[in-house]
């Protein structure tokens, strides 16, 4: 009985600590947007995304999901280039600004306030051909990262691409944050990691979800109406 009570107390303490981590991240993000423009929200679309969308061998426009969309710069860019875009951010102030930016640009973007690690709570069934993440994942507490990876994997069309920007752990005061190529390989099982570079500056990681082999049929999520 004493062992059971000890285990329950340990679990409760862990859950409480994890909840505190999530709330700390939310408060920090809210403070950034309350104070002004966050450092990662430059208003400029990264050249790596431009190359992916417009460069040699670019895929045809399809369905895109942006995680941590901020004020909507890149969601609007994708929509202007023919993509059907859904974009998610945790902070309502950022989503409000993104909606205003999309309206001013005359682009149709579905902008949702929600948690990128809890996509099942949002109306984003997929499948998606492109995922874009500009410094969202690297700030997610470690205990929520498997849920993030699983959520994207379930919504990935065959051949889907994930372009992720993230700082390395050395860029943070708290070593639980940041992202490495080895971590992405482990968490995104079944994806191929292409080019990668991360450090003090946000580096780009490109992951591709391989298409099934000929003759293999895997279930696909229902398309949103």
């Amino acid at each position: 009985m004493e062992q059971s009570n000890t285990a329950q107390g340990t679990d409760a303490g862990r859950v409480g600590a994890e909840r505190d981590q999530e709330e700390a991240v939310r408060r920090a993000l809210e403070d950034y947007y309350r104070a002004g423009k966050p450092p990662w929200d430059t208003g400029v679309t990264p050249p790596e995304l431009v190359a992916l969308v417009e460069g040699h061998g670019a895929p045809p426009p399809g369905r895109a999901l942006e995680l941590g969309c901020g004020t909507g710069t890149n969601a609007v860019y994708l929509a202007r280039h023919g993509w059907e875009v859904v974009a998610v951010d945790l902070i309502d102030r950022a989503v409000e600004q993104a909606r205003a930016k999309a309206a001013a640009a005359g682009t149709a973007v579905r902008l949702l306030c929600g948690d990128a690690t809890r996509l099942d709570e949002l109306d984003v069934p997929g499948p998606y051909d492109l995922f874009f993440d500009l410094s969202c994942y690297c700030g997610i507490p470690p205990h929520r990262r498997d849920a993030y990876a699983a959520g994207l994997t379930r919504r990935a069309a065959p051949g889907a691409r994930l372009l992720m920007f993230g700082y390395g752990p050395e860029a943070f005061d708290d070593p639980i944050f940041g992202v490495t190529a080895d971590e992405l390989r482990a968490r995104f099982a079944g994806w191929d990691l292409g080019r990668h570079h991360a450090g003090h500056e946000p580096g780009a990681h490109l992951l591709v979800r391989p298409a099934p082999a000929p003759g293999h049929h895997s279930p696909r999520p229902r398309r949103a109406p």
Side-chain angles (χ1 to χ4, degrees):
M1 185 67 173
E2 185 177 342
Q3 262 188 335
S4 175
N5 289 338
T6 301
Q8 288 176 1
T10 301
D11 287 344
R14 176 182 55 78
V15 170
E18 290 174 350
R19 188 182 303 117
D20 288 346
Q21 279 186 349
E22 293 181 51
E23 284 304 311
V25 169
R26 181 189 293 271
R27 286 195 302 271
L29 292 172
E30 287 175 341
D31 288 346
Y32 271 118
Y33 282 102
R34 190 177 297 114
K37 190 166 65 174
W40 61 85
D41 202 335
T42 64
V44 178
T45 295
E48 292 88 348
L49 180 58
V50 174
L52 182 61
V53 170
E54 302 182 52
H56 177 72
R63 306 181 77 225
L65 177 62
E66 183 176 7
L67 298 313
C69 66
T71 60
T73 296
N74 300 302
V76 168
Y77 166 80
L78 288 168
R80 279 176 165 166
H81 285 81
W83 289 80
E84 181 184 343
V85 183
V86 180
V88 176
D89 201 278
L90 186 63
I91 306 304
D92 53 4
R93 187 185 296 261
V95 174
E96 289 170 5
Q97 293 180 40
R99 286 174 177 155
K101 186 176 290 185
T107 53
V109 178
R110 284 187 62 225
L111 288 144
L112 304 174
C113 187
D115 187 337
T117 73
R118 293 179 169 90
L119 295 178
D120 289 346
E121 298 176 6
L122 303 173
D123 181 21
V124 289
Y128 294 100
D129 307 290
L130 174 64
F131 301 97
F132 182 66
D133 176 332
L134 182 59
S135 300
C136 174
Y137 179 90
C138 66
I140 292 173
H143 69 276
R144 295 302 308 165
R145 294 187 177 190
D146 280 341
Y148 174 106
L152 268 58
T153 299
R154 287 195 299 272
R155 291 163 174 81
R161 305 181 189 196
L162 164 58
L163 180 59
M164 176 189 291
F165 284 79
Y167 293 92
E170 63 275 13
F172 292 87
D173 294 332
D174 190 331
I176 69 168
F177 296 109
V179 60
T180 66
D182 286 343
E183 180 193 347
L184 292 178
R185 289 190 186 96
R187 292 196 193 272
F188 286 85
W191 293 68
D192 294 332
L193 178 63
R195 66 176 183 270
H196 61 274
H197 171 74
H200 287 286
E201 295 300 322
H205 303 265
L206 178 65
L207 295 96
V208 178
R209 180 72 169 164
H216 174 78
H217 298 285
S218 57
R220 290 166 59 96
R222 175 182 62 85
R223 281 190 179 268

